[in-house]
Amino acid sequence: MSLSTGFFALSPNESSRIAYFSMEIAVAPDMPTYSGGLGVLAGDTLRSAADMGLPLAAVTLAHRQGYFRQFLDAEGKQTEGPQPWNIEEKLTPEEPVVTITIEGRDVALRAWRYDLIGVTGHRIPIYFLDTDLEQNAPDDRKLTDSLYGGKNDYRIRQEMVLGIGGVRILDALEYKASVYHMNEGHAAFLTLALMEDQLNGAALASAGDADMAAVRELCVFTTHTPVPAGHDRFDLSEASRILGVERFSFLEHHGCIHEGLLNMTYVALRFSRFVNGVAMQHGKVSRSMFPEYNISAITNGVHAATWTSAAFQGLYDHHMPRWRHDNVTLRYAIDIPEEEIAGAHAAAKQLLIDAVTQRAGVELKPDVFTIGFARRAATYKRADLLFTDPERLVRCAHERGGLQIIYSGKAHPADEPGKEKIRHVIELAKQLNSDTLRIVYLENYEWTLGALLTGGADIWLNTPKRPYEASGTSGMKAALNGVPSLSILDGWWIEGWIEGVTGWAIEDHEDEANEANSLYDQLEHVLLPLYYEHPQQWRRIMRSTIALNGSFFNTQRMLEQYVVNAYFPEQRVDEPAEEPEPALTS
């Protein structure tokens, strides 16, 4: 029997198996195995793979101590604490224990399995690699403790566990894939393991063109970072010591050193037959960064059922019963009565208001226009662009009916400029809060809070510095809930933006003052008058946001593109073979 989603048909055997590698995967809200967008995307990808019945298994690390729990004091200073979780309660242990060589010594690792179940009952196994074994040295036992923790030597060891250890675990489990998908460069050492398998014990230096082609045929690479500093790079002497001379020399020989550092993006690029960025614009940026490589684009998406609020889920279940199986069905939201759209949004907004009260002790009003802004607190995200002209913001809120702004987001523990952005926003919030302007910053941004925010805000604000937004997905989640975006034209929004239909654009300028003026103009002259004075037109925009953007910017569509363009481009079929009609009998 073949597997078919309508776009392709595959035989569920070894020739069509996919292995998906990601340093972080957001599997469940109570499992802190992700830091942000990359991990949430990975989790959404796997949820859609399960829904679609794809023959896929995923590999990540256990992250026993999680990412980090964020604490904010009254002045906005961020401190961090661990997020330990009980892996034994959540996951099922697998029997195989494999050994890899790190810095000349054996490191043992095992896998724990989580079965992700799709809407049709199909299961996707996710294997969490764990080095916390008695036979390992104390430092090696901690290699799978902390997500993005430690210094560079810790990171390169982690990436060896993920890439090389991941392939070895799949081999031990007798899961032989025909496609190995690297979700970012963290997993690029898997190419070394595949080459070692290809050579069957021979020295890496003996690899010829045919061996290179064989490994490249197996590998797909998705790059997510348009910022050069965001790509993992390691000191050469450190890399040689930890990888070992043979592996390091092989990578050096094959062009994986860039600007005097071992560059994981170049490792992945060098050994992949298909490479893509995560939005149309990001594809262009990536081609300019790596002009010697052919880089395509497949725009990110989100898992529709996961990020749709309970009220909208009920609405869709009533009007479009198969929307979970076929996300394109959300196109028909254009026929849902506007009053029902407004009712579902009011329910989601009340849940958000209740959460703000519970988490921050701040009382917000359901009838006041509410801006949502929540994402990683990196400087290029420009969380404080909205406060460029505080007097104009205050005047706008006072004269146009009132304004509520809800912020949330973590800065990486080592990102002091990002932490300063948080302090600045909280300081301004204290200065500007009034009866007509309420600003609140919610600590410890995570899955549950993210869903409340994208479901309950009235507008989703995004103000990145171009061209540093690879894709962005929070606005896609908002769209599933009828929440339009107000955003700089970067990342996915270049594709999703239809002015006054799915949201509004902030004009691109060379200086931030002019971009902030464009933002204020949209708020003052378009959004607030529309919301308060023309509610029926606002509801119509909410509905078109769902129908146009919710139906497209989802991981079901995204995965269909991966299947036909990246995973199995030669196995695409136009029509599944039809069964002959039975003969009529009298």
Side-chain angles (χ1 to χ4, degrees), residues 129-293:
L129 307 183
D130 183 19
T131 61
D132 187 16
L133 299 173
E134 290 183 359
Q135 58 264 52
N136 286 333
D139 286 347
D140 293 333
R141 295 185 68 166
K142 298 177 182 178
L143 285 178
T144 52
D145 270 3
S146 300
L147 175 58
Y148 304 136
K151 297 180 180 179
N152 267 3
D153 63 338
Y154 183 82
R155 289 285 294 274
I156 193 171
R157 289 178 173 91
Q158 276 196 327
E159 295 185 11
M160 290 181 71
V161 172
L162 176 63
I164 300 172
V167 172
R168 297 288 173 255
I169 279 287
L170 292 183
D171 287 346
L173 293 168
E174 298 183 348
Y175 185 93
K176 200 66 178 175
S178 60
V179 178
Y180 291 79
H181 185 170
M182 294 170 275
N183 187 42
E184 252 311 348
H186 311 118
F189 287 142
L190 71 82
T191 61
L192 282 172
L194 294 175
M195 181 59 73
E196 289 167 353
D197 286 349
Q198 169 68 19
L199 296 174
N200 197 26
L204 286 171
S206 68
D209 291 344
D211 300 309
M212 291 289 292
V215 170
R216 192 177 291 116
E217 186 62 25
L218 296 171
C219 294
V220 168
F221 171 49
T222 298
T223 175
H224 293 260
T225 311
V227 184
H231 299 264
D232 274 358
R233 299 174 294 179
F234 299 109
D235 176 80
L236 298 187
S237 61
E238 185 175 67
S240 178
R241 184 184 77 253
I242 295 172
L243 280 168
V245 173
E246 182 186 16
R247 285 170 171 165
F248 175 78
S249 298
F250 175 78
L251 295 177
E252 184 177 36
H253 177 73
H254 287 287
C256 302
I257 310 301
H258 184 68
E259 296 180 346
L261 297 168
L262 175 63
N263 188 305
M264 296 300 286
T265 299
Y266 277 91
V267 176
L269 287 168
R270 186 71 182 91
F271 292 95
S272 296
R273 62 168 166 79
F274 182 91
V275 181
N276 69 281
V278 290
M280 177 188 70
Q281 176 67 15
H282 181 233
K284 293 180 180 178
V285 171
S286 297
R287 287 190 290 275
S288 68
M289 291 175 66
F290 307 105
E292 63 272 36
Y293 293 94

Side-chain angles (χ1 to χ4, degrees), residues 315 319 333-342 543:
L315 194 62
H319 288 278
I334 205 70
D335 197 41
I336 298 176
E338 294 164 9
E339 294 74 17
E340 294 183 35
I341 298 283
R543 187 171 64 178

